Amino acid sequence: MANKYPFQDIEQKWQKWWEDNGIYHAKQPSDTKDKKFYTLVEFPYPSGDGLHVGHPRSYTALDIVSRKKRMEGLNVMYPIGWDAFGLPTENAAIKKKMQPAIITEKNVATFKRQTQSLGTGFDWSREINTTDPKYYKWTQWMFIQFYNAYFDESLQKARPITELEIPAEIQKDGDLAIRNYRDSKRIVYKTTTTINWCPACKIGLSNEEAQGGVCERCGGEVEKREKEQWMMRITKYANRLIDELSDVNYLDKIKTQQINWIGRSEGALIKFAITQNQSQDHVHRTIDEIEVFTTRPDTLFGATYLVLSPEHPLLTSWIDHDAIENIKEVKDYQETTRKKSDRERQENKEKTGVEIHGLKAVNPATGKEVPVWIADYVLAGYGTGAIMAVPAHDERDYEFAKKFELPIIKVVVPPALAELSHPPANITPVSQEDVRVESECWIGEGISINSEFLNDLTTDKSQEKIVAWLEEHGAGHGCTNYKQRDWVFSRQRYWGEPIPMIHCEKCGWQPVAESELPILLPDVENYEPTDSGESPLSVIIDWVNTTCPACGGNAKRETDTMPNWAGSSWYFLRYCDAENDQVFASPEALKYWMPVDLYDGGMEHTTLHLLYSRFWYKVLHDLGHIPESCGVEPYAKRTAHGMILGEGGIKMSKSKGNVVNPDDVISEYGSDVFRCYEMFMGPFDTDAPWDTHGIQGIKRFLDKIWSLHQTRTTNDELRTTNPSDAKFEIRNTKYESILHKSIKKVGDDIDAMRFNTAISQLMILTNTLLESESVTDDDYKTYLKLIAPFAPHIAEQIWHNFGNESSIHLEAWPTYNPDLLIEDTITLGVQINGKVRGEITIAPDAKESEAMEAAMQDENVKKYLDGTEPKKVIYVPGRILNIVI
RNA sequence: GGGCCCGUGGCGGAAUCGGUAUACGCAACAGACUUAAAAUCUGUCGCCCAAAAGGCUUGUGGGUUCAAGUCCCACCGGGCCCACCA
């Protein structure tokens, strides 16, 4: 069957030829004067399951863009590697009793074979692997650079810790105080935080591994545990991570999701004095002060009680000082909260809490005393871990106040001003029908109101007026808060980069000397987690015991490892200069290649990997390890592809048995069909279900391309390339115009990543050429070049059948002749009163009178006009003729 | 509860600037070729009507406009992310 595309005989041959000839190897800046284009896909995690059909969607899409850019003369780098550290491999190692390194090697081999069989034009000479010591040496090196840096608030950038000014009052307290002060400013720091703990597996879990409060491994409930952890001060970059998004071209939904995740909100910190009821003399004495964060300082007058999170540190001090009358009740509530899993806390939103007897809080604006409560609806980790409750203006406070019968006071603008302010107060109670307001008060009520304060107290201004008043009276100040927390960077795991730190009793934490890097992961026999929740590395005594880099005394290594986000936070930099063993990448290489021009990946990485790597890049850039000229953002453009779902639109999963294996698709249809099918399924950024029938249509398309070539080459008469031959001049204007339209459309569609419509245009073109009596060699070659980015193998084969020796993928991308885009005549719809009643065929630039004349010839139009004189004629050349009667 | 997005034939989808809705493909049906099947080729294919003519049609209801799948308002339905973030 000669007119079937014989992919079995063709595809592997070209894959080998491309690699042998380095067709896709990018030139380094020293070897070229060409402009660069850097295309990046998220490097895969080589799991034991092998490649998913979702991977090729991203790879093929960016491959098409890369191939077109290459044909346009750019020096394209499209690299690939392996993000191979991580939990699934470690779990497999425990289960199979094999070394994680060996499992990784096996998985990488499978992934590499599968990826190569796709025919993607990756530059394999730059292949990297995060578990390779030559790679993670630099991950560790960067960790140390971050440790040796602090964030300068006034410059809003990282600087070497040696440049940190030590305040005089710290200096006078001596070396230890100075050391503590420095440690409190470092970008990398160690502190006690709460981690997710699975009691069944005896293992610490990351938030991602404990989603919904359930252990990813065993499905059991997850507890909280206190643990010393290494942290990254990403919160210092919160403002820049939001503001510098304006420099980049990301999908809007990606930007919004990042902004929401960081969760910046403007408000104020307000101080409430805490007074104790001295029962002997009935005098209320101030014993403490507590700060609350609010985004609505203007509702301060309606604050009828204060709520602390059960974890609030002041509670411990009050308990210790016996300031609380109902200590047992408070302690019990704290204990109950601690035992609650995240899931319980999330699912059960019924408000609970305990009033603290013996203490009151003083509202700084009104001077009135209000009760103090603890409740778990106040989160320890956000703001100050304490709130002023304004039940009339906050739903949660309202619910709580209802349950515990606390007063509800609505804040309004003073009546005298309500008339003046237009519109009047837009401060609305949470639920207007529902709120039974016990009383109202004015904004500013209780403050010694002066006329100036009142004069421009409108609703819009009330926020800033109150903040100004608070600042003036030392009762608070404006403040910005973020939902995002610092990045927990420790894992009590084996299969990750060892954290290159050493602890010395005398000198504290010391980074490993750079000359000692990489700190290799030692072999261990047992990956099972330890009872104490320490990393499996902690039991390798020989490895743990070392000497202090500072004093030479006995010291111990850090046994925690890095999270698997570490290696992926900078891999795009390594590609620029993957073989360099002096630096992670040379400044010249970085200057040339960075930033990444186009980066595609899944939406699921928007708030983790994408944010982490932007942060990581900014720190390196601030510290001068990335040339200034590269800019402050690593990725100029970021897109996100949709998922490929199983047949019927449900997610592919082993348990549902609807997983499609790329190997099977390739052996049945070949890579070109596979590629084109995934591009044709639907818009690139939308989820699409797999359809076994749909792939048939693409197979037919490729067979048509092949059969077009077969009929051409077997017909010698049409093969002439001699312009003097009369046959050369036989032109089919129909195909010519469609060919040039296709050059434009396919090119535009690739640039806009509309691959589905590009392929539909190529189908139209192929069908047209099949119907045409003859096609010139030049036009046919143009056609092949349009096909090449989508179906590289078949295009290369036919190209070589023509006697070409070099690759079609290095040919110049075709240009179109704008004159040929304009057709001599077009069909135009004719509307009567906005309804289509006929069609006319006229020149695209015909005048209105000509169009009207043509329309009058149309029987149907005539019938509808019925001799009536048009009231109005709307004629948009090339678009529409609308006659209003 | 907050944020983002989407509703077009039997199905995936197209319509890029407000200008002939349903391109391209799948499935289906009829026919050709074949001893037969597959493959291939030809034709039909939004709905109502026997057909033509005509009417209706982009989740529903309004609005703006000469003209709305596209813009505005309300509602209904679906998806994703975050979620007691003060």
Side-chain angles (χ1 to χ4, degrees), chain A residues 4 295 351 377 396 483 681 700 745 763 827 882:
Chain A
K4 296 273 183 254
T295 54
K351 297 280 180 293
Y377 82 91
R396 296 152 299 181
K483 285 187 201 172
M681 289 174 95
R700 284 178 201 145
K745 175 146 179 71
M763 287 171 168
T827 336
N882 188 7

mmCIF file of all heavy atoms in Angstrom, chain A residues 4 295 351 377 396 483 681 700 745 763 827 882, chain B residues 3 12 16 20 24 26 39 66 84-86:
data_model
loop_
_atom_site.group_PDB
_atom_site.id
_atom_site.type_symbol
_atom_site.label_atom_id
_atom_site.label_comp_id
_atom_site.label_asym_id
_atom_site.label_seq_id
_atom_site.Cartn_x
_atom_site.Cartn_y
_atom_site.Cartn_z
ATOM 1 N N LYS A 4 0.160 4.791 1.934
ATOM 2 C CA LYS A 4 0.123 4.937 3.398
ATOM 3 C C LYS A 4 1.484 5.450 3.842
ATOM 4 O O LYS A 4 2.519 5.008 3.347
ATOM 5 C CB LYS A 4 -0.129 3.580 4.068
ATOM 6 C CG LYS A 4 -1.475 3.004 3.731
ATOM 7 C CD LYS A 4 -2.517 3.530 4.693
ATOM 8 C CE LYS A 4 -3.865 2.908 4.411
ATOM 9 N NZ LYS A 4 -4.784 3.835 3.760
ATOM 10 N N THR A 295 -7.932 44.968 58.178
ATOM 11 C CA THR A 295 -7.988 45.704 56.908
ATOM 12 C C THR A 295 -9.050 46.781 56.990
ATOM 13 O O THR A 295 -9.258 47.516 56.042
ATOM 14 C CB THR A 295 -8.343 44.760 55.746
ATOM 15 O OG1 THR A 295 -9.541 44.066 56.068
ATOM 16 C CG2 THR A 295 -7.235 43.779 55.467
ATOM 17 N N LYS A 351 -18.192 27.672 65.188
ATOM 18 C CA LYS A 351 -17.290 28.474 66.014
ATOM 19 C C LYS A 351 -17.217 27.941 67.441
ATOM 20 O O LYS A 351 -18.236 27.588 68.040
ATOM 21 C CB LYS A 351 -17.766 29.928 66.044
ATOM 22 C CG LYS A 351 -17.744 30.604 64.683
ATOM 23 C CD LYS A 351 -16.348 31.070 64.308
ATOM 24 C CE LYS A 351 -16.325 31.751 62.954
ATOM 25 N NZ LYS A 351 -16.625 30.836 61.825
ATOM 26 N N TYR A 377 -10.830 30.001 65.253
ATOM 27 C CA TYR A 377 -11.088 30.594 63.929
ATOM 28 C C TYR A 377 -10.085 31.703 63.643
ATOM 29 O O TYR A 377 -9.995 32.177 62.515
ATOM 30 C CB TYR A 377 -12.546 31.048 63.786
ATOM 31 C CG TYR A 377 -12.956 32.395 64.351
ATOM 32 C CD1 TYR A 377 -12.898 33.545 63.564
ATOM 33 C CD2 TYR A 377 -13.439 32.501 65.643
ATOM 34 C CE1 TYR A 377 -13.313 34.775 64.065
ATOM 35 C CE2 TYR A 377 -13.851 33.727 66.154
ATOM 36 C CZ TYR A 377 -13.786 34.873 65.372
ATOM 37 O OH TYR A 377 -14.201 36.079 65.860
ATOM 38 N N ARG A 396 -17.597 36.217 60.187
ATOM 39 C CA ARG A 396 -17.115 35.237 61.167
ATOM 40 C C ARG A 396 -17.300 35.769 62.580
ATOM 41 O O ARG A 396 -17.731 35.051 63.488
ATOM 42 C CB ARG A 396 -15.647 34.925 60.891
ATOM 43 C CG ARG A 396 -15.453 34.264 59.553
ATOM 44 C CD ARG A 396 -14.101 34.573 59.002
ATOM 45 N NE ARG A 396 -13.944 36.019 58.797
ATOM 46 C CZ ARG A 396 -12.866 36.580 58.298
ATOM 47 N NH1 ARG A 396 -11.835 35.847 57.975
ATOM 48 N NH2 ARG A 396 -12.798 37.881 58.136
ATOM 49 N N LYS A 483 -0.583 36.809 52.849
ATOM 50 C CA LYS A 483 -0.998 35.439 53.199
ATOM 51 C C LYS A 483 0.180 34.483 53.084
ATOM 52 O O LYS A 483 0.255 33.491 53.782
ATOM 53 C CB LYS A 483 -2.088 34.958 52.241
ATOM 54 C CG LYS A 483 -3.441 35.554 52.494
ATOM 55 C CD LYS A 483 -4.452 34.876 51.589
ATOM 56 C CE LYS A 483 -5.674 35.736 51.405
ATOM 57 N NZ LYS A 483 -6.584 35.204 50.396
ATOM 58 N N MET A 681 -6.298 18.349 18.946
ATOM 59 C CA MET A 681 -7.377 18.005 19.882
ATOM 60 C C MET A 681 -8.250 19.185 20.286
ATOM 61 O O MET A 681 -9.442 19.015 20.552
ATOM 62 C CB MET A 681 -6.786 17.422 21.170
ATOM 63 C CG MET A 681 -6.197 16.063 21.015
ATOM 64 S SD MET A 681 -5.368 15.549 22.535
ATOM 65 C CE MET A 681 -6.669 14.620 23.320
ATOM 66 N N ARG A 700 -5.285 9.796 8.596
ATOM 67 C CA ARG A 700 -5.694 10.004 7.200
ATOM 68 C C ARG A 700 -5.013 11.229 6.613
ATOM 69 O O ARG A 700 -4.615 11.236 5.443
ATOM 70 C CB ARG A 700 -7.218 10.189 7.115
ATOM 71 C CG ARG A 700 -7.944 8.880 7.264
ATOM 72 C CD ARG A 700 -9.444 9.072 7.239
ATOM 73 N NE ARG A 700 -10.069 7.913 7.858
ATOM 74 C CZ ARG A 700 -11.160 7.940 8.585
ATOM 75 N NH1 ARG A 700 -11.791 9.097 8.783
ATOM 76 N NH2 ARG A 700 -11.645 6.848 9.118
ATOM 77 N N LYS A 745 -1.414 32.209 7.714
ATOM 78 C CA LYS A 745 -2.212 31.704 8.840
ATOM 79 C C LYS A 745 -1.417 30.744 9.714
ATOM 80 O O LYS A 745 -1.454 30.838 10.938
ATOM 81 C CB LYS A 745 -3.492 31.023 8.331
ATOM 82 C CG LYS A 745 -4.299 30.377 9.447
ATOM 83 C CD LYS A 745 -5.788 30.443 9.223
ATOM 84 C CE LYS A 745 -6.548 29.765 10.355
ATOM 85 N NZ LYS A 745 -6.498 30.526 11.609
ATOM 86 N N MET A 763 -4.701 21.102 6.587
ATOM 87 C CA MET A 763 -5.602 20.102 5.991
ATOM 88 C C MET A 763 -6.283 20.694 4.758
ATOM 89 O O MET A 763 -6.393 20.037 3.725
ATOM 90 C CB MET A 763 -6.674 19.681 7.005
ATOM 91 C CG MET A 763 -6.158 18.790 8.109
ATOM 92 S SD MET A 763 -7.429 18.571 9.378
ATOM 93 C CE MET A 763 -6.712 17.223 10.317
ATOM 94 N N THR A 827 -17.269 36.679 -1.989
ATOM 95 C CA THR A 827 -18.714 36.557 -1.809
ATOM 96 C C THR A 827 -19.087 37.342 -0.568
ATOM 97 O O THR A 827 -18.456 37.195 0.470
ATOM 98 C CB THR A 827 -19.113 35.083 -1.606
ATOM 99 O OG1 THR A 827 -18.113 34.266 -2.179
ATOM 100 C CG2 THR A 827 -20.457 34.806 -2.204
ATOM 101 N N ASN A 882 -25.758 45.784 4.317
ATOM 102 C CA ASN A 882 -27.029 45.708 5.049
ATOM 103 C C ASN A 882 -27.939 46.832 4.572
ATOM 104 O O ASN A 882 -27.582 48.005 4.632
ATOM 105 C CB ASN A 882 -26.769 45.819 6.550
ATOM 106 C CG ASN A 882 -28.018 45.542 7.369
ATOM 107 O OD1 ASN A 882 -29.056 45.142 6.835
ATOM 108 N ND2 ASN A 882 -27.941 45.768 8.666
ATOM 109 P P G B 3 -14.735 37.846 44.579
ATOM 110 O OP1 G B 3 -14.736 39.292 44.317
ATOM 111 O OP2 G B 3 -15.935 37.037 44.272
ATOM 112 O "O5'" G B 3 -13.491 37.182 43.847
ATOM 113 C "C5'" G B 3 -12.213 37.806 43.914
ATOM 114 C "C4'" G B 3 -11.186 36.905 43.275
ATOM 115 O "O4'" G B 3 -11.168 35.614 43.944
ATOM 116 C "C3'" G B 3 -11.430 36.545 41.827
ATOM 117 O "O3'" G B 3 -11.078 37.587 40.947
ATOM 118 C "C2'" G B 3 -10.561 35.303 41.675
ATOM 119 O "O2'" G B 3 -9.195 35.628 41.596
ATOM 120 C "C1'" G B 3 -10.825 34.598 43.006
ATOM 121 N N9 G B 3 -11.946 33.641 42.892
ATOM 122 C C8 G B 3 -13.227 33.795 43.345
ATOM 123 N N7 G B 3 -13.993 32.753 43.084
ATOM 124 C C5 G B 3 -13.157 31.875 42.421
ATOM 125 C C6 G B 3 -13.408 30.575 41.892
ATOM 126 O O6 G B 3 -14.457 29.926 41.911
ATOM 127 N N1 G B 3 -12.272 30.034 41.294
ATOM 128 C C2 G B 3 -11.047 30.662 41.216
ATOM 129 N N2 G B 3 -10.082 29.984 40.594
ATOM 130 N N3 G B 3 -10.800 31.861 41.702
ATOM 131 C C4 G B 3 -11.885 32.405 42.291
ATOM 132 P P G B 12 -18.035 17.810 22.901
ATOM 133 O OP1 G B 12 -17.817 17.986 24.348
ATOM 134 O OP2 G B 12 -18.928 18.726 22.166
ATOM 135 O "O5'" G B 12 -16.630 17.806 22.167
ATOM 136 C "C5'" G B 12 -15.572 16.995 22.661
ATOM 137 C "C4'" G B 12 -14.318 17.247 21.862
ATOM 138 O "O4'" G B 12 -14.500 16.759 20.503
ATOM 139 C "C3'" G B 12 -13.959 18.702 21.661
ATOM 140 O "O3'" G B 12 -13.347 19.252 22.810
ATOM 141 C "C2'" G B 12 -13.023 18.618 20.456
ATOM 142 O "O2'" G B 12 -11.774 18.115 20.835
ATOM 143 C "C1'" G B 12 -13.752 17.566 19.597
ATOM 144 N N9 G B 12 -14.679 18.215 18.661
ATOM 145 C C8 G B 12 -16.015 18.452 18.853
ATOM 146 N N7 G B 12 -16.574 19.072 17.844
ATOM 147 C C5 G B 12 -15.542 19.253 16.932
ATOM 148 C C6 G B 12 -15.532 19.865 15.649
ATOM 149 O O6 G B 12 -16.488 20.385 15.052
ATOM 150 N N1 G B 12 -14.271 19.833 15.068
ATOM 151 C C2 G B 12 -13.157 19.282 15.644
ATOM 152 N N2 G B 12 -12.037 19.356 14.931
ATOM 153 N N3 G B 12 -13.146 18.705 16.836
ATOM 154 C C4 G B 12 -14.359 18.728 17.418
ATOM 155 P P U B 16 -13.107 35.979 15.063
ATOM 156 O OP1 U B 16 -14.270 35.973 15.961
ATOM 157 O OP2 U B 16 -12.771 37.191 14.282
ATOM 158 O "O5'" U B 16 -11.853 35.510 15.937
ATOM 159 C "C5'" U B 16 -11.519 36.132 17.167
ATOM 160 C "C4'" U B 16 -10.155 36.796 17.098
ATOM 161 O "O4'" U B 16 -9.182 35.862 16.561
ATOM 162 C "C3'" U B 16 -10.093 38.031 16.204
ATOM 163 O "O3'" U B 16 -9.271 39.011 16.812
ATOM 164 C "C2'" U B 16 -9.408 37.525 14.934
ATOM 165 O "O2'" U B 16 -8.661 38.524 14.255
ATOM 166 C "C1'" U B 16 -8.474 36.471 15.505
ATOM 167 N N1 U B 16 -8.104 35.417 14.542
ATOM 168 C C2 U B 16 -6.797 35.369 14.105
ATOM 169 O O2 U B 16 -5.945 36.144 14.480
ATOM 170 N N3 U B 16 -6.521 34.380 13.214
ATOM 171 C C4 U B 16 -7.401 33.431 12.721
ATOM 172 O O4 U B 16 -7.009 32.598 11.933
ATOM 173 C C5 U B 16 -8.743 33.542 13.233
ATOM 174 C C6 U B 16 -9.037 34.516 14.096
ATOM 175 P P U B 20 -20.190 37.693 9.070
ATOM 176 O OP1 U B 20 -20.735 37.072 10.289
ATOM 177 O OP2 U B 20 -18.866 37.316 8.566
ATOM 178 O "O5'" U B 20 -21.237 37.526 7.903
ATOM 179 C "C5'" U B 20 -22.594 37.927 8.063
ATOM 180 C "C4'" U B 20 -23.471 36.893 7.418
ATOM 181 O "O4'" U B 20 -23.144 36.827 6.002
ATOM 182 C "C3'" U B 20 -23.271 35.462 7.953
ATOM 183 O "O3'" U B 20 -24.522 34.805 7.923
ATOM 184 C "C2'" U B 20 -22.365 34.817 6.923
ATOM 185 O "O2'" U B 20 -22.496 33.426 6.833
ATOM 186 C "C1'" U B 20 -22.882 35.496 5.652
ATOM 187 N N1 U B 20 -21.907 35.486 4.570
ATOM 188 C C2 U B 20 -22.223 34.761 3.438
ATOM 189 O O2 U B 20 -23.281 34.155 3.321
ATOM 190 N N3 U B 20 -21.271 34.771 2.461
ATOM 191 C C4 U B 20 -20.078 35.411 2.493
ATOM 192 O O4 U B 20 -19.327 35.329 1.527
ATOM 193 C C5 U B 20 -19.798 36.132 3.693
ATOM 194 C C6 U B 20 -20.700 36.141 4.680
ATOM 195 P P C B 24 -14.478 22.599 5.802
ATOM 196 O OP1 C B 24 -13.965 22.508 4.420
ATOM 197 O OP2 C B 24 -15.737 21.930 6.172
ATOM 198 O "O5'" C B 24 -13.344 22.077 6.805
ATOM 199 C "C5'" C B 24 -11.965 22.353 6.573
ATOM 200 C "C4'" C B 24 -11.136 21.781 7.701
ATOM 201 O "O4'" C B 24 -11.434 22.487 8.940
ATOM 202 C "C3'" C B 24 -11.440 20.325 8.057
ATOM 203 O "O3'" C B 24 -10.782 19.424 7.178
ATOM 204 C "C2'" C B 24 -10.925 20.245 9.484
ATOM 205 O "O2'" C B 24 -9.518 20.199 9.532
ATOM 206 C "C1'" C B 24 -11.398 21.584 10.037
ATOM 207 N N1 C B 24 -12.764 21.482 10.619
ATOM 208 C C2 C B 24 -12.894 20.983 11.933
ATOM 209 O O2 C B 24 -11.875 20.662 12.556
ATOM 210 N N3 C B 24 -14.134 20.871 12.466
ATOM 211 C C4 C B 24 -15.205 21.220 11.762
ATOM 212 N N4 C B 24 -16.404 21.092 12.334
ATOM 213 C C5 C B 24 -15.099 21.714 10.427
ATOM 214 C C6 C B 24 -13.872 21.831 9.896
ATOM 215 P P C B 26 -12.173 12.713 9.545
ATOM 216 O OP1 C B 26 -11.359 11.575 9.083
ATOM 217 O OP2 C B 26 -13.233 13.271 8.677
ATOM 218 O "O5'" C B 26 -12.841 12.340 10.934
ATOM 219 C "C5'" C B 26 -12.065 11.728 11.958
ATOM 220 C "C4'" C B 26 -12.901 11.562 13.194
ATOM 221 O "O4'" C B 26 -13.480 12.835 13.569
ATOM 222 C "C3'" C B 26 -14.123 10.672 13.042
ATOM 223 O "O3'" C B 26 -13.770 9.308 13.068
ATOM 224 C "C2'" C B 26 -14.929 11.098 14.257
ATOM 225 O "O2'" C B 26 -14.392 10.576 15.444
ATOM 226 C "C1'" C B 26 -14.714 12.608 14.229
ATOM 227 N N1 C B 26 -15.806 13.297 13.495
ATOM 228 C C2 C B 26 -17.056 13.427 14.132
ATOM 229 O O2 C B 26 -17.197 12.959 15.271
ATOM 230 N N3 C B 26 -18.069 14.041 13.493
ATOM 231 C C4 C B 26 -17.876 14.530 12.271
ATOM 232 N N4 C B 26 -18.919 15.135 11.678
ATOM 233 C C5 C B 26 -16.621 14.418 11.587
ATOM 234 C C6 C B 26 -15.612 13.798 12.241
ATOM 235 P P A B 39 -11.758 0.824 7.437
ATOM 236 O OP1 A B 39 -11.481 1.582 8.679
ATOM 237 O OP2 A B 39 -13.089 0.919 6.798
ATOM 238 O "O5'" A B 39 -10.663 1.190 6.340
ATOM 239 C "C5'" A B 39 -9.278 1.291 6.703
ATOM 240 C "C4'" A B 39 -8.433 1.421 5.460
ATOM 241 O "O4'" A B 39 -8.648 0.246 4.625
ATOM 242 C "C3'" A B 39 -8.805 2.576 4.546
ATOM 243 O "O3'" A B 39 -8.201 3.782 4.976
ATOM 244 C "C2'" A B 39 -8.242 2.104 3.210
ATOM 245 O "O2'" A B 39 -6.839 2.228 3.154
ATOM 246 C "C1'" A B 39 -8.611 0.619 3.259
ATOM 247 N N9 A B 39 -9.947 0.394 2.683
ATOM 248 C C8 A B 39 -11.122 0.170 3.344
ATOM 249 N N7 A B 39 -12.157 -0.006 2.551
ATOM 250 C C5 A B 39 -11.626 0.115 1.289
ATOM 251 C C6 A B 39 -12.203 0.034 0.002
ATOM 252 N N6 A B 39 -13.497 -0.203 -0.204
ATOM 253 N N1 A B 39 -11.401 0.207 -1.060
ATOM 254 C C2 A B 39 -10.090 0.451 -0.848
ATOM 255 N N3 A B 39 -9.425 0.542 0.309
ATOM 256 C C4 A B 39 -10.264 0.361 1.344
ATOM 257 P P C B 66 -28.731 51.999 15.311
ATOM 258 O OP1 C B 66 -28.341 53.212 14.542
ATOM 259 O OP2 C B 66 -29.890 52.001 16.231
ATOM 260 O "O5'" C B 66 -28.942 50.812 14.263
ATOM 261 C "C5'" C B 66 -30.152 50.734 13.503
ATOM 262 C "C4'" C B 66 -29.992 49.680 12.437
ATOM 263 O "O4'" C B 66 -28.982 50.114 11.485
ATOM 264 C "C3'" C B 66 -29.475 48.342 12.919
ATOM 265 O "O3'" C B 66 -30.515 47.546 13.434
ATOM 266 C "C2'" C B 66 -28.870 47.748 11.650
ATOM 267 O "O2'" C B 66 -29.870 47.240 10.792
ATOM 268 C "C1'" C B 66 -28.256 48.997 11.009
ATOM 269 N N1 C B 66 -26.828 49.177 11.346
ATOM 270 C C2 C B 66 -25.880 48.312 10.761
ATOM 271 O O2 C B 66 -26.264 47.423 10.004
ATOM 272 N N3 C B 66 -24.584 48.471 11.055
ATOM 273 C C4 C B 66 -24.201 49.449 11.874
ATOM 274 N N4 C B 66 -22.900 49.564 12.128
ATOM 275 C C5 C B 66 -25.131 50.327 12.496
ATOM 276 C C6 C B 66 -26.426 50.166 12.197
ATOM 277 P P C B 84 -9.255 28.221 55.916
ATOM 278 O OP1 C B 84 -8.231 27.777 56.849
ATOM 279 O OP2 C B 84 -10.228 27.253 55.382
ATOM 280 O "O5'" C B 84 -10.060 29.428 56.559
ATOM 281 C "C5'" C B 84 -11.210 29.943 55.936
ATOM 282 C "C4'" C B 84 -11.838 31.009 56.814
ATOM 283 O "O4'" C B 84 -12.616 30.351 57.837
ATOM 284 C "C3'" C B 84 -10.821 31.907 57.518
ATOM 285 O "O3'" C B 84 -11.324 33.235 57.596
ATOM 286 C "C2'" C B 84 -10.750 31.308 58.916
ATOM 287 O "O2'" C B 84 -10.446 32.260 59.912
ATOM 288 C "C1'" C B 84 -12.193 30.822 59.103
ATOM 289 N N1 C B 84 -12.328 29.694 60.018
ATOM 290 C C2 C B 84 -13.492 29.620 60.790
ATOM 291 O O2 C B 84 -14.359 30.484 60.662
ATOM 292 N N3 C B 84 -13.650 28.588 61.643
ATOM 293 C C4 C B 84 -12.698 27.661 61.731
ATOM 294 N N4 C B 84 -12.902 26.666 62.570
ATOM 295 C C5 C B 84 -11.509 27.721 60.963
ATOM 296 C C6 C B 84 -11.364 28.752 60.131
ATOM 297 P P C B 85 -11.108 34.208 56.339
ATOM 298 O OP1 C B 85 -11.930 35.391 56.630
ATOM 299 O OP2 C B 85 -11.281 33.461 55.090
ATOM 300 O "O5'" C B 85 -9.574 34.629 56.420
ATOM 301 C "C5'" C B 85 -9.138 35.581 57.370
ATOM 302 C "C4'" C B 85 -7.873 36.250 56.879
ATOM 303 O "O4'" C B 85 -6.793 35.282 56.905
ATOM 304 C "C3'" C B 85 -7.928 36.762 55.447
ATOM 305 O "O3'" C B 85 -7.172 37.943 55.377
ATOM 306 C "C2'" C B 85 -7.256 35.654 54.635
ATOM 307 O "O2'" C B 85 -6.630 36.100 53.475
ATOM 308 C "C1'" C B 85 -6.214 35.132 55.629
ATOM 309 N N1 C B 85 -5.909 33.703 55.437
ATOM 310 C C2 C B 85 -4.608 33.313 55.113
ATOM 311 O O2 C B 85 -3.745 34.179 55.003
ATOM 312 N N3 C B 85 -4.337 32.004 54.930
ATOM 313 C C4 C B 85 -5.295 31.106 55.067
ATOM 314 N N4 C B 85 -4.984 29.818 54.884
ATOM 315 C C5 C B 85 -6.636 31.472 55.380
ATOM 316 C C6 C B 85 -6.901 32.772 55.551
ATOM 317 P P A B 86 -7.880 39.193 54.718
ATOM 318 O OP1 A B 86 -8.743 38.848 53.602
ATOM 319 O OP2 A B 86 -6.758 40.089 54.506
ATOM 320 O "O5'" A B 86 -8.811 39.747 55.873
ATOM 321 C "C5'" A B 86 -8.314 40.622 56.819
ATOM 322 C "C4'" A B 86 -9.308 40.744 57.934
ATOM 323 O "O4'" A B 86 -9.578 39.426 58.469
ATOM 324 C "C3'" A B 86 -8.795 41.545 59.125
ATOM 325 O "O3'" A B 86 -9.001 42.923 58.958
ATOM 326 C "C2'" A B 86 -9.569 40.955 60.285
ATOM 327 O "O2'" A B 86 -10.878 41.493 60.316
ATOM 328 C "C1'" A B 86 -9.626 39.491 59.888
ATOM 329 N N9 A B 86 -8.489 38.719 60.424
ATOM 330 C C8 A B 86 -7.210 39.112 60.685
ATOM 331 N N7 A B 86 -6.432 38.185 61.156
ATOM 332 C C5 A B 86 -7.263 37.093 61.207
ATOM 333 C C6 A B 86 -7.055 35.782 61.619
ATOM 334 N N6 A B 86 -5.885 35.337 62.083
ATOM 335 N N1 A B 86 -8.087 34.927 61.547
ATOM 336 C C2 A B 86 -9.250 35.368 61.084
ATOM 337 N N3 A B 86 -9.588 36.583 60.659
ATOM 338 C C4 A B 86 -8.529 37.412 60.749
#
